[in-house]
Amino acid sequence: MREKLEEIRARASAQLSEINADLEAIRIKYLGKKGELTAVLRNMGSLSPEERPAIGAIANEVRTYIENAIAERMKEKKKDALGEKLEAERIDVTMPGTAVDVGRRHPLAKVRKEMEDIFIGMGFSVVEGPEVEYDYYNFQALNIPENHPARDTQDTFYITDKILLRSQTSPVQVRTMEKQKPPIRIISPGRVYRSDEVDATHSPLFHQLEGLVVDKGITMGDLKGMLETFAKTMFGESTRIRFRPHHFPFTEPSAEVDVSCFSCGGKGCRLCKNEGWIEILGAGMVHPNVLRGCGIDPEVYSGFAFGMGIERIVMTKYNIDDMRLLYENDMRFLGQF
Ligand code: PHE
């Protein structure tokens, strides 16, 4: 029986060392209920009491040997499987990745932010007003009564007789002065609407940036100095500005303001249509009627206001000749800014 046990150990050992050994089959073959080693142990009864302890010890040893060998091989197989998996799933971290498309600001938003930053730097705060506005704020309180011809140039979209889409950001002047007593120093960027046909320089929706300063002793000199600082920061240090007399019902005196062409320096070129100057905004001293209507005494306080089209600034700054490009969301265009 001793030889039989040794023979089982040798055979099991040989089978277990085969590369593709079926561990479960081997376990059943030797250690299972009907296994060879189990059969030997079952026959122990036929041995003499003297032989039994020695043979029993060997049998146990063979069983432990086979069990350990199976456990050992099992561990190895697991390790191999993990190795294969790691090998198969290996990634080359030096390979170029998939680029993520990063968004960017729209040129209108970018320039608006630049404009805001310039004015914030000069002590202005940014306020917003409603786009759906009362006729009162958009026109009447700005010294534009019903039937005033100035309404024709800013024809807009009416919701009712008294409510419309604002045609300018100037109503924010009135809303601000009604709420806040001087000193006032605000800018107000936002969308405005006019019933214009779409073409290279017109759109029924565009953007303006309004400015308003009211305090004791504010003069046209303050307006000029401040607009000059704005123009130099926006278009370059050598930029000059020019005031041309104009008329707005809510400012007196009023002016249209040009900047010297930053492309040719004023000599005349394609960008400035040979003028040497580019018009960028309307401005003036706040009309006494407007101040009075907001409960501000024009004998004590004075102020200036200005309003500019943001599209106009963007198109000038980047030499864009068709406004429609700003609204078409063509990435080939927008990607350039
Ligand atoms: N609101 C005027 C426009 O849209 C511009 C302007 C603003 C003029 C403030 C004077 C003062 O044309």
Side-chain angles (χ1 to χ4, degrees):
M1 208 173 252
R2 193 182 298 253
E3 293 77 51
K4 175 77 182 155
L5 284 170
E6 289 305 340
E7 187 267 331
I8 287 176
R9 185 209 302 256
R11 199 147 37 84
S13 171
Q15 282 174 4
L16 279 168
S17 62
E18 276 167 28
I19 289 181
N20 288 320
D22 182 343
L23 302 179
E24 184 55 13
I26 295 172
R27 192 189 63 78
I28 292 168
K29 181 171 163 63
Y30 296 102
L31 308 178
K33 260 192 207 136
K34 293 178 184 156
E36 291 184 31
L37 189 65
T38 320
V40 174
L41 288 168
R42 218 174 263 138
N43 278 333
M44 292 284 281
S46 65
L47 294 173
S48 66
E50 296 79 43
E51 275 178 316
R52 227 178 272 156
I55 300 294
I58 297 173
N60 277 330
E61 198 195 298
V62 171
R63 183 177 45 205
T64 312
Y65 170 83
I66 296 175
E67 277 171 0
N68 286 345
I70 289 175
E72 193 67 26
R73 284 298 322 261
M74 215 115 100
K75 239 195 261 168
E76 269 170 35
K77 278 202 169 176
K78 263 199 199 136
K79 232 199 313 190
D80 286 354
L82 181 64
E84 266 167 38
K85 199 163 174 235
L86 286 176
E87 186 61 35
E89 293 174 5
R90 197 218 306 255
I91 47 167
D92 181 353
V93 293
T94 64
M95 274 206 350
T98 320
V100 178
D101 225 347
V102 181
R104 64 181 78 211
R105 274 184 207 278
H106 189 280
L108 276 170
K110 192 177 147 158
V111 168
R112 192 198 65 209
K113 177 99 177 35
E114 267 177 63
M115 293 165 79
E116 285 178 10
D117 285 347
I118 295 171
F119 286 108
I120 288 168
M122 291 193 274
F124 285 72
S125 17
V126 182
V127 300
E128 281 185 42
E131 289 169 30
V132 179
E133 184 56 285
Y134 288 107
D135 177 283
Y136 176 78
Y137 287 109
N138 196 75
F139 291 128
Q140 285 178 56
L142 289 166
N143 210 24
I144 312 174
E146 249 171 89
N147 303 320
H148 191 288
R151 291 197 177 207
D152 292 346
T153 58
Q154 295 198 5
D155 194 16
T156 181
F157 302 96
Y158 284 83
I159 288 159
T160 68
D161 276 354
K162 292 198 157 50
I163 299 174
L164 43 73
L165 295 185
R166 67 178 181 187
S167 62
Q168 48 186 349
T169 41
S170 300
V172 185
Q173 288 184 35
V174 180
R175 287 182 171 274
T176 305
M177 286 189 280
E178 277 184 351
K179 275 201 288 268
Q180 191 187 329
K181 292 307 140 203
I184 292 170
R185 202 185 297 185
I186 58 114
I187 51 165
S188 185
R191 294 192 191 101
V192 299
Y193 303 82
R194 293 186 192 178
S195 63
D196 285 333
E197 262 345 302
V198 175
D199 67 23
T201 52
H202 292 88
S203 161
L205 180 163
F206 61 104
H207 300 76
Q208 286 189 335
L209 184 133
E210 192 83 8
L212 173 72
V213 172
V214 183
D215 202 353
K216 286 179 180 153
I218 297 293
T219 69
M220 203 130 180
D222 297 314
L223 171 62
K224 267 192 124 165
M226 209 210 55
L227 288 181
E228 194 169 280
T229 304
F230 167 75
K232 284 181 186 300
T233 318
M234 196 73 202
F235 298 111
E237 213 25 62
S238 57
T239 308
R240 286 161 291 133
I241 58 169
R242 174 174 87 168
F243 277 49
R244 275 181 293 106
H246 197 74
H247 173 261
F248 296 106
F250 40 94
T251 48
E252 180 60 34
S254 304
E256 275 188 334
V257 180
D258 304 335
V259 290
S260 58
C261 179
F262 54 86
S263 175
C264 63
K267 284 200 256 2
C269 67
R270 232 174 73 93
L271 179 67
C272 59
K273 300 187 183 71
N274 272 322
E275 296 280 343
W277 297 92
I278 300 166
E279 184 205 320
I280 58 159
L281 60 90
M285 301 307 291
V286 182
H287 197 290
N289 286 354
V290 176
L291 290 173
R292 220 176 279 121
C294 298
I296 295 174
D297 185 351
E299 299 298 326
V300 181
Y301 293 103
S302 56
F304 64 74
F306 59 88
M308 53 186 126
I310 302 181
E311 277 79 355
R312 167 67 67 92
I313 306 282
V314 173
M315 290 170 74
T316 305
K317 194 173 159 82
Y318 293 116
N319 201 353
I320 297 166
D321 58 8
D322 195 328
M323 193 162 165
R324 286 168 288 200
L325 289 165
L326 293 172
Y327 307 121
E328 281 168 356
N329 284 337
D330 185 335
M331 286 306 289
R332 291 168 302 179
F333 171 75
L334 297 176
Q336 300 173 58
F337 302 94

